[in-house]
Amino acid sequence: MRIALIYPRIRGYDRESFGTNGYIANMSGYPPLSLAYAASIIRRAGHDVLIIDANIMSLSGKEIVSRLKKFSPDLLGFTLTTPTFHGVRAWIRRIRVEVNVPVLAGGALLGLFPREVMGYQEFDYGIVGTARDSLPALLGALKKGRAPKMIPGVCLRDGGKVLVNFPVSGEEGVEDLLFPARDLLPYERYFSPFSGGGGFTAMLASCGCPFSCSYCCLAGNLRFRKLDGVTAEMEECFKRYDIRNIDFYDSVFTCDRERVLRLCGAIRRLNLPFSWTARTRLDLVDEEILGAMSASGCRMLMYGIETFHASSLRRVNRPVLSVAQIRESIRLTRKKGIAAFGFFMLGIPGETEEIMKRTINLSKCVGLDFAQFTKLTPIGGTALYDLQIKATGDDYWRDYIGRGNRDDDIASVGCTIPQVTLLKAVHRANIGFYFRLPQIMRILFEARSFRRLLRYARSALNMAFSRLKEGKKAGAPENMV
């Protein structure tokens, strides 16, 4: 079979709960790893596969259709997320006017709302859970002309009914994860706001998270890749694709201290000039581990700080650190030559405007190089969202996906700050953090190159000034014609 995987370009999100358009702009240079992983699985199963990254290539609908007609696929594949769901549906309708073949959907959204997703005529088949076994089984059945009604992990529409076959077991291991099919991507085009010279990609050293923050859908079921697999993928990235900048997209990179020390040693032994970034928590670093990370090429750590208020942290099941502890961990980070990035959330249950203002003000006083402020949103699959349903009786995201007619934005239960006030505070916090003379001078001094300075400046401007315009419907396809 011939399968075309498509990553369309979406103009923006249709509600601020998904994040600001500045965040979208800053993440727009990342490769669609989920499609690249799926492509590796498809290719290993003996099928032909094409990836069209219309986002990074800025392809119009006409250009996408032209490439599809040249490839002549038997099946189209799309990855689904809640923010882009209805935008992707619009793209599918546009494409199938001229390339009318079945559509396969994948992504975490299928695990949350499979019946709601498959209720739409745009989708013929879906993958629930990981695709390692279910995707080859589905393609094998379709190739032989058999109905894939009983395959675990596959859902489909059968006449007027939606059939959902959940995976037999839980999450599959990632120890021997296939390398993403980067050769099918325009890998030379990808970038991050913080990448330097040379190519850029994202990578996983682990999946899941050992902690249980109530706002996070990744809580639990931590799985590690083999270290030699991680370093082998890094070596391939450098030697085959000239990639020198890597963002490890693990939820908490340093959750296993000894493993990280071994990984850093293995990266150093590659003796390749990598620059890499990662995400973690301030209570999971110390001077030794920061030194090892710096020596192996780490140039930025992104810390989930969220708030400085102890009661707010406890409400979302986060550890409480004093301002002095936070400041000291950031000082050690910067001492080792690693930039410190802080994530903050406004609108935590029980939070007041005074608490929110304190978080914004203190964020400027702990030594951070970069920061990002967002509004806390209860998302599907989290403990916080379960509490939201219990308190209100409103399964907001099921309605949003299944009916698509929710014009209201979701509020966080237990937070009495008006949504308009929260969104204005997010906007002011991002502007206030970056547009201070000390911060401007710090960025100018530490950028190291004019190219990186431009990316830093663009990132800050995106976060500070890119907001959804009133009355403009985002989440729609861009360049559809």
Side-chain angles (χ1 to χ4, degrees):
M1 292 189 68
R2 298 173 67 79
I3 298 93
L5 306 177
I6 304 167
Y7 189 60
R9 190 173 189 181
I10 305 298
R11 179 183 297 123
Y13 297 157
D14 66 355
R15 56 205 63 215
E16 291 268 14
S17 291
F18 294 141
T20 65
N21 283 346
Y23 174 77
I24 302 172
N26 284 342
M27 297 298 291
S28 64
Y30 276 60
L33 278 191
S34 58
L35 293 186
Y37 277 121
S40 290
I41 294 171
I42 292 168
R43 193 156 54 183
R44 186 176 65 174
H47 305 280
D48 295 328
V49 60
L50 169 74
I51 299 178
I52 299 177
D53 187 348
N55 174 60
I56 201 70
M57 299 291 288
S58 299
L59 298 180
S60 67
K62 182 178 180 180
E63 290 168 323
I64 293 174
V65 167
S66 175
R67 294 187 180 208
L68 288 173
K69 287 183 175 179
K70 184 178 179 180
F71 182 69
S72 188
D74 302 301
L75 186 71
L76 304 179
F78 295 82
T79 188
L80 301 179
T81 66
T82 302
T84 62
F85 177 68
H86 293 295
V88 170
R89 285 182 54 224
W91 267 113
I92 294 171
R93 291 193 297 271
R94 161 65 180 91
I95 291 169
R96 290 180 86 175
V97 170
E98 300 185 63
V99 185
N100 190 19
V101 297
V103 169
L104 168 67
L109 188 62
L110 267 296
L112 293 173
F113 308 116
R115 297 188 183 281
E116 286 73 18
V117 170
M118 296 304 299
Y120 289 100
Q121 296 295 314
E122 289 89 349
F123 307 107
D124 299 285
Y125 307 102
I127 298 293
V128 178
T130 55
R132 187 180 66 184
D133 297 326
S134 55
L135 180 54
L138 169 64
L139 297 179
L142 293 177
K143 184 177 181 178
K144 295 177 181 178
R146 299 174 181 171
K149 294 183 179 181
M150 303 300 292
I151 299 175
V154 171
C155 50
L156 66 152
R157 284 190 297 105
D158 182 30
K161 298 181 180 179
V162 173
L163 303 180
V164 179
N165 300 308
F166 288 98
V168 174
S169 59
E171 293 286 345
E172 298 164 350
V174 298
E175 295 87 354
D176 298 308
L177 193 68
L178 290 174
F179 295 176
R182 291 186 175 90
D183 59 302
L184 299 180
L185 296 170
Y187 55 84
E188 71 283 352
R189 289 177 173 260
Y190 297 109
F191 64 91
S192 135
F194 309 108
S195 56
F200 166 79
T201 194
M203 188 178 294
L204 292 172
S206 66
C207 293
C209 179
F211 305 108
S212 54
C213 305
S214 65
Y215 53 82
C216 181
C217 60
L218 299 175
N221 199 22
L222 176 66
R223 293 149 289 147
F224 292 114
R225 291 180 63 187
K226 291 180 179 178
L227 294 185
D228 57 358
V230 176
T231 54
E233 185 177 344
M234 294 180 72
E235 189 170 22
E236 180 189 78
C237 284
F238 183 88
K239 294 182 177 180
R240 186 175 179 183
Y241 306 115
D242 196 29
I243 290 171
R244 298 165 185 252
N245 300 273
I246 293 174
D247 183 8
F248 282 104
Y249 222 71
D250 304 37
S251 299
V252 188
F253 189 80
T254 62
C255 59
D256 186 328
R257 185 178 185 279
E258 295 306 314
R259 182 178 183 275
V260 171
L261 290 173
R262 293 197 304 273
L263 177 57
C264 289
I267 294 173
R268 288 188 69 184
R269 287 190 291 274
L270 289 176
N271 197 30
L272 297 173
F274 279 112
S275 175
W276 55 274
T277 60
R279 292 151 187 76
T280 190
R281 295 188 345 188
L282 288 163
D283 59 318
L284 296 175
V285 296
D286 55 42
E287 191 160 7
E288 181 185 6
I289 200 169
L290 290 169
M293 294 172 78
S294 177
S296 63
C298 182
R299 296 295 172 259
M300 176 180 288
L301 284 175
M302 306 176 199
Y303 292 116
I305 301 173
E306 319 310 355
T307 178
F308 294 98
H309 193 256
S311 295
S312 297
L313 288 167
R314 293 189 187 100
R315 288 191 185 99
V316 292
N317 204 26
R318 284 294 305 257
V320 176
L321 299 180
S322 68
V323 174
Q325 288 173 308
I326 292 171
R327 186 178 286 116
E328 175 62 10
S329 291
I330 293 172
R331 185 191 69 81
L332 290 174
T333 302
R334 301 187 73 249
K335 175 184 175 182
K336 297 300 180 181
I338 302 173
F341 188 117
F343 291 112
F344 296 93
M345 297 187 305
L346 304 182
I348 292 173
E351 196 166 60
T352 64
E353 289 191 51
E354 190 61 34
I355 293 172
M356 189 168 64
K357 290 176 182 177
R358 181 174 181 267
T359 293
I360 294 171
N361 290 333
L362 282 174
S363 70
K364 305 170 188 176
C365 305
V366 291
L368 288 169
D369 296 284
F370 301 93
Q372 176 181 297
F373 295 83
T374 57
K375 180 178 80 72
L376 173 60
T377 297
I379 60 175
T382 66
L384 186 62
Y385 186 63
D386 291 342
L387 290 174
Q388 184 95 358
I389 296 175
K390 185 176 181 180
T392 65
D394 180 15
D395 196 342
Y396 179 93
W397 294 120
R398 192 175 299 277
D399 279 351
Y400 176 80
I401 296 299
R403 294 190 294 170
N405 60 350
R406 295 296 299 251
D407 293 326
D408 57 322
D409 206 348
I410 188 171
S412 180
V413 67
C415 180
T416 59
I417 302 173
Q419 292 296 295
V420 172
T421 302
L422 272 176
L423 295 175
K424 287 181 178 178
V426 168
H427 182 54
R428 286 197 301 267
N430 284 311
I431 288 180
F433 183 87
Y434 287 105
F435 290 88
R436 300 172 287 138
L437 182 58
Q439 189 65 20
I440 293 172
M441 295 304 297
R442 171 181 289 181
I443 291 176
L444 287 172
F445 180 74
E446 297 182 0
R448 296 188 181 94
S449 72
F450 183 69
R451 183 178 184 180
R452 182 169 291 184
L453 175 62
L454 286 178
R455 286 187 174 170
Y456 284 179
R458 187 181 297 117
S459 175
L461 288 169
N462 284 338
M463 289 307 305
F465 292 113
S466 183
R467 300 180 67 198
L468 289 174
K469 296 180 180 179
E470 291 185 14
K472 179 179 178 180
K473 182 69 172 178
E478 188 173 87
N479 297 332
M480 181 175 275
V481 173

